[in-house]
Amino acid sequence: MPTAGTPRPEYPRPHFDRSHAWLGLNGTWDFRADPDARHGADSGDGYDQRITVPFAWETPASGIEAHWLPTAWYRRTFTVPADWAGQRVVLHFGAVHHEATVWVNGTEIARHEGGYTPFSADVSDALVDGEQLLTVRVHAPADKRDIAHGKQRSMPRTDYDGVCFTPSSGIWQSVWLEARPATHLASLRLRPNHGLTGISVEAAVHGPGAAGASLELRVRGEAAAVTATAGPDGMIRTELPLAAPRLWSPEDPHLYHVDAELTSADGTDRVASYTGLRTIAVDGENLYLNGRRLFLRGVLDQGYWPRTGITAPDDSALRDDLRLAAEAGYNLVRKHLKLEDPRFVHHADTLGMLVWAEPASAGRFSPASVTAFAEQIEPMVERDGNSPAIVIWGLYNEEWGLDWDIPGDPAKQRAAADAYDRLKALDPTRPVVDNSGWTHVRTDLLDWHYYDESAASWATTVADLLSGARDDFPVKLGPDYVVRKKLAVPTQPLRGLPNLNSEYGGGFTGLERAWHLRWQTQELRRHDRLAGYVYTELYDIEHESAGLWDFQRAAKDLAGVDPAHVNAPTTLVLDVTPVAPGRDLLTAVPDFTVDLRVSHHGSDPVEGAVHTAWTPVYGPAPQEPGGAVPGCRAEAKPYVLGAPVTVPAALPEGWTSGRLHLALVVDGTVAARTAVDVDTRTEPHIGDDPAAAAHR
C-alpha cells in the first residue's frame, strides 16, 4: 500500500482489481533530462533532479516544469513484499506519453508506444535479492503530428493548434506492482445479457496451466455463483444469473460487483470487477436507455487541471468535475480526445453520469498517424468496456488527423470507416460516432458542431438542419476562413439516425457565454427530432475561456443564469429571437406579451400554472416563482414540444428595462424556469444582433 503523502495513492484500476496484492510506486523518483539522446542505455549518471510521479514533466506539480524536452530518464528503487514469494511480480503503467522503455536491474522488460494506453510487464525474472532498481526512458517528440496526442500542443504546430494546450510528457498516470500466479486472469469482460436478467462473462486465462483452469465467479451480496473451466485456448464464457435484476441508470446507478477466483496448478488468482445492467439502443432517430427514451444533455470535459496538466491532482478532482456537470443539469459528459484515468470512468459509474468516451487524435493524415490512432481502440474497449456509464464511443473529431478533407480523399474515408468497423467488432452494444462534427462516413449517430454568435442565424440553421432543408452549415476554421461542411458523405444516410448537436456555445465574457447558453439551448429544445446536445464546455483551460467554471473550477459570473434551469429535463421555450445580452426583447411600451412553450423529457405528461416575477436585468431567479398569471396554464407530452401559451406581462411602474422570470409550477413545485430581458429603449445599441432585429 502507498505511504502517507504519496500522490494519487488510490488503487488505479477499479475495473480489474487486484488491490489485495499491489504496491504503489507513485511518489518521488530520480530524474534527468536527456535533450540530445533518444536511444541508448542508462549511464547511471546525471540524475540531478527529483520528479513527482505521476505528473508530467511540464507541470508545476512534477517539480520539473521542463518544456519541449524530448527525452528524459526516471529512476527509483523498490522492494518486493516478502509475502509475494512464489508469485509472479508484474509492473504496471497507467499511461506514459509517448514512447517508454523500461529496465529492472539493467534488464529491459518492456517497450511501449502510445501516450494514452496502459501497459504492463512481468518483471519476475529480472529481480535480484533485496532492493530492485527500476529505470524508465521516455521519448516525447515535440512533433506530435503523426502520433495520438489529443489536445497537447505540437511543434511544428497542427492545424488545430489554436485550441491546444501545454503538452503533458512522461509518466502521467499511476505506476504500480501486482503479484499473481504464473497462470492468471488476463481479462474479465462483464456485460449485461440480452434479457437484462444476468451478466455475460468472458474471461481470458494466460499461463502454463491455462487450459483446464477453474474459475469461480460470485456476485457480491447475491446468491449468484458459477464455476467454469477454461478451454484449450484459455477462454471461459459463461453467465451469472440474477434473481431480482436491478437496472443501472442515472437515477439509480446500481452496480454488481463480481469476485473471480481462478484455480490452477500454479495456485489461486483473485480479481474483482463490476458492471451494471443497462442497455443503450438506437431505434430510428431516438436513443433509448433501458428501453426508455433518452435525451442527452451533455457537456464537454477536456480533462486538464491548472498545476497538473492531463493528470488529476487527486482522486476527488475527477469526482468533483462530474459533480459540477450534474449540478449544471447535465446527464452526460463527453470526455474530449483523451482516454481519461480509469478512475474517472469508475466515478461516473458510481455517480450515474453518462459518458461519451473517445481516444486522442493525431495531427495530420499519414499511414503512421492512422495506425497510431487505430491502436488505441482495442485498449480503450478492453480497459473501460465493463462500464455501464459509457453509452457512446467516439472516434475521429472534426477530421483532425484527416487533414480536414474526408470528402476529397477516399483513403481518409476508409480510415474513418475502418476505425468504425474495428470498434463495432469489439463492442456492438454501444453506438459509435466515426467523425464527430460533420462529414460522417459510417456512423450510428449523426452529430454536428455548430458555433454562431448570431442568435437569429443560429436558430435558422438549427431548424434547417433538423427539418432537412439543408445538409450543410458554415464552419469557421480560421479568423477569416469559413467553409461549408456537409453532414455526411453521399453514402451515409442523413435520415433514420439520432441527431445530436455535440458542440456549441458562444461569447467571450461570462455574460455572453451565459446568454448564448440560455438561448441556443432553448432553440435545441424546440425541436423534437433532436436526440441531445453537448455544450462546450465545463471549465476554462489555459487560454480558452469557454467554460461555465474557470480553470480552478471556481464559479464564474453568468449574469444570473443558472445552467441547471437551462438543462433541466423540463424547461420553457420562448418564441423570441433575442437581440443582445440584456436586450432580449424590445418593446416600445411597458405592456407586452410573450409566447411560451414547454419542452418536457419525462415519462408522463406535465401541466401547470405559469408564474412570473421581475428582477433587474441580469438578476438571478428569485427563490419563489412569483405570482400566477390568471388563466395561464401550459402543458406538454413527453418529447413533444407543447403548444404556445401567450403570457401577458408589464414592466413594473417606472422601469425602462428588467428581467422577466417565468416558471411552470406543477402541484406547488417549480418544474421549469426561464427568463427574458426586456427593454423599452428600442433604438439600436452596440452589440445588437442585426439578424435578430430583423426578426422583431
Side-chain angles (χ1 to χ4, degrees):
M1 295 294 292
T3 57
T6 299
R8 301 299 308 272
E10 63 282 347
Y11 182 75
R13 195 170 58 163
H15 278 115
F16 197 77
D17 187 337
R18 276 202 187 90
S19 57
H20 65 280
W22 83 293
L23 176 67
L25 297 182
N26 292 345
T28 303
W29 294 46
D30 297 331
F31 182 86
R32 69 178 175 92
D34 194 359
D36 300 319
R38 177 175 172 180
H39 302 292
D42 180 21
S43 66
D45 301 323
Y47 284 91
D48 54 351
Q49 294 176 282
R50 305 276 274 169
I51 188 169
T52 301
V53 170
F55 302 116
W57 64 57
E58 291 90 350
T59 66
S62 72
I64 302 297
E65 294 189 77
H67 295 269
W68 304 111
L69 173 66
T71 306
W73 297 76
Y74 294 75
R75 184 180 68 181
R76 66 158 292 159
T77 59
F78 66 89
T79 301
V80 177
D83 59 357
W84 289 8
Q87 299 284 295
R88 305 297 294 183
V89 178
V90 181
L91 176 64
H92 291 268
F93 291 84
V96 181
H97 189 81
H98 167 72
E99 299 175 23
T101 309
V102 184
W103 294 263
V104 171
N105 299 318
T107 299
E108 183 180 315
I109 55 95
R111 291 191 180 209
H112 180 77
E113 286 192 29
Y116 293 84
T117 51
F119 65 99
S120 62
D122 187 329
V123 304
S124 306
D125 295 338
L127 299 177
V128 297
D129 292 337
E131 196 171 63
Q132 318 295 325
L133 178 65
L134 170 60
T135 307
V136 182
R137 182 183 63 220
V138 179
H139 178 62
D143 185 352
K144 298 175 173 61
R145 291 173 296 173
D146 289 320
I147 67 175
H149 63 281
K151 284 297 195 81
Q152 299 184 61
R153 183 162 286 119
S154 172
M155 191 60 67
R157 67 197 296 272
T158 62
D159 287 341
Y160 52 93
D161 179 78
V163 292
C164 288
F165 313 113
T166 301
S168 291
S169 304
I171 300 171
W172 69 273
Q173 285 189 27
S174 290
V175 185
W176 74 101
L177 294 165
E178 289 180 1
R180 69 189 186 198
T183 299
H184 58 275
L185 275 169
S187 66
L188 186 62
R189 183 182 185 272
L190 306 176
R191 300 291 191 273
N193 67 9
H194 290 300
L196 293 180
T197 59
I199 301 168
S200 295
V201 181
E202 183 179 287
V205 183
H206 290 179
S214 176
L215 179 65
E216 183 181 49
L217 298 159
R218 293 187 176 275
V219 179
R220 215 173 293 168
E222 298 266 337
V226 298
T227 300
T229 301
D233 59 354
M235 297 302 298
I236 297 173
R237 294 175 180 85
T238 188
E239 287 213 359
L240 277 165
L242 297 168
R246 180 175 165 188
L247 303 190
W248 184 98
S249 69
E251 298 76 24
D252 182 21
H254 180 72
L255 299 172
Y256 285 100
H257 293 267
V258 176
D259 294 318
E261 187 171 284
L262 181 77
T263 303
S264 73
D266 294 315
T268 300
D269 185 25
R270 289 187 289 122
V271 169
S273 188
Y274 70 85
T275 193
L277 294 187
R278 66 106 186 93
T279 59
I280 179 71
V282 172
D283 186 356
E285 295 187 345
N286 298 323
L287 282 164
Y288 291 86
L289 183 72
N290 298 332
R292 294 177 59 185
R293 178 88 177 266
L294 173 66
F295 186 89
L296 296 175
R297 309 184 309 274
V299 66
L300 201 74
D301 176 356
Q302 306 203 58
Y304 274 78
W305 288 266
R307 291 182 48 81
T308 58
I310 59 176
T311 308
D314 51 48
D315 191 49
S316 64
L318 295 165
R319 194 173 179 91
D320 289 346
D321 281 355
L322 288 162
R323 283 178 172 150
L324 286 181
E327 288 172 8
Y330 295 108
N331 63 6
L332 174 136
V333 168
R334 180 183 175 193
K335 182 58 72 164
H336 195 37
L337 300 173
K338 178 189 181 190
L339 295 186
E340 186 56 276
D341 187 316
R343 294 196 62 84
F344 171 83
V345 179
H346 169 67
H347 291 314
D349 293 335
T350 61
L351 292 172
M353 179 61 74
L354 304 175
V355 173
W356 173 331
E358 61 195 24
S361 58
R364 65 181 174 189
F365 182 71
S366 69
S369 72
V370 170
T371 298
F373 179 84
E375 285 177 346
Q376 301 173 96
I377 296 173
E378 185 171 359
M380 177 176 75
V381 176
E382 176 67 28
R383 196 194 73 173
D384 297 335
N386 288 354
S387 164
I390 295 176
V391 293
I392 297 173
W393 293 122
L395 287 165
Y396 285 97
N397 177 75
E398 296 182 354
E399 300 175 281
W400 295 1
L402 300 170
D403 295 347
W404 309 91
D405 188 27
I406 283 179
D409 189 341
K412 292 164 187 168
Q413 295 177 33
R414 283 196 300 273
D418 288 349
Y420 171 92
D421 290 343
R422 181 187 294 240
L423 184 45
K424 290 297 283 190
L426 291 166
D427 183 5
T429 69
R430 293 175 173 95
V432 170
V433 178
D434 59 342
N435 175 53
S436 182
W438 53 74
T439 319
H440 293 284
V441 180
R442 191 173 299 160
T443 189
D444 297 325
L445 305 176
L446 199 70
D447 81 319
W448 31 279
H449 300 175
Y450 177 47
Y451 295 92
D452 194 334
E453 298 292 326
S454 166
S457 63
W458 161 268
T460 299
T461 300
V462 167
D464 287 349
L465 286 171
L466 288 170
S467 69
R470 61 203 284 190
D471 64 359
D472 65 352
F473 55 97
V475 175
K476 191 174 183 179
L477 298 181
D480 300 306
Y481 181 42
V482 177
V483 299
R484 298 198 71 84
K485 289 290 187 179
K486 286 187 173 294
L487 291 175
V489 299
T491 55
Q492 169 60 50
L494 294 177
R495 292 291 172 261
L497 292 177
N499 264 270
L500 295 102
N501 178 300
S502 55
E503 283 192 32
Y504 73 102
F508 293 95
T509 67
L511 183 155
E512 291 172 333
R513 297 297 302 178
W515 187 75
H516 283 292
L517 168 71
R518 182 158 54 102
W519 289 105
Q520 291 184 1
T521 306
Q522 169 192 279
E523 288 306 307
L524 294 171
R525 293 292 292 262
R526 187 183 296 278
H527 300 282
D528 298 333
R529 292 186 62 195
L530 196 72
Y533 57 76
V534 179
Y535 178 77
T536 307
E537 61 192 315
L538 189 60
Y539 48 81
D540 297 345
I541 305 172
E542 296 185 0
H543 62 280
E544 200 166 274
S545 58
L548 299 177
W549 281 265
D550 69 18
F551 200 11
Q552 288 73 32
R553 278 54 166 183
K556 296 170 73 172
D557 176 13
L558 299 180
V561 174
D562 186 341
H565 297 163
V566 175
N567 297 305
T570 304
T571 192
L572 303 178
V573 175
L574 302 179
D575 290 346
V576 172
T577 302
V579 176
R583 291 165 54 82
D584 299 330
L585 177 64
L586 305 185
T587 175
V589 294
D591 300 284
F592 63 95
T593 62
V594 61
D595 283 353
L596 171 150
R597 305 168 187 261
V598 179
S599 170
H600 175 56
H601 296 153
S603 56
D604 298 308
V606 64
E607 191 265 343
V610 177
H611 290 232
T612 60
W614 284 97
T615 67
V617 170
Y618 307 138
Q623 186 171 3
E624 297 300 322
V629 180
C632 195
R633 299 183 69 82
E635 62 183 1
K637 297 177 181 178
Y639 299 95
V640 178
L641 186 69
V645 174
T646 299
V647 182
L651 276 161
E653 186 174 352
W655 290 30
T656 58
S657 65
R659 175 166 285 185
L660 176 65
H661 297 271
L662 301 104
L664 182 70
V665 178
V666 179
D667 297 330
T669 300
V670 177
R673 290 183 183 267
T674 191
V676 58
D677 290 329
V678 181
D679 197 330
T680 59
R681 296 162 294 181
T682 58
E683 70 279 4
H685 281 48
I686 294 174
D688 282 359
D689 181 353
H695 281 67
R696 294 203 301 274

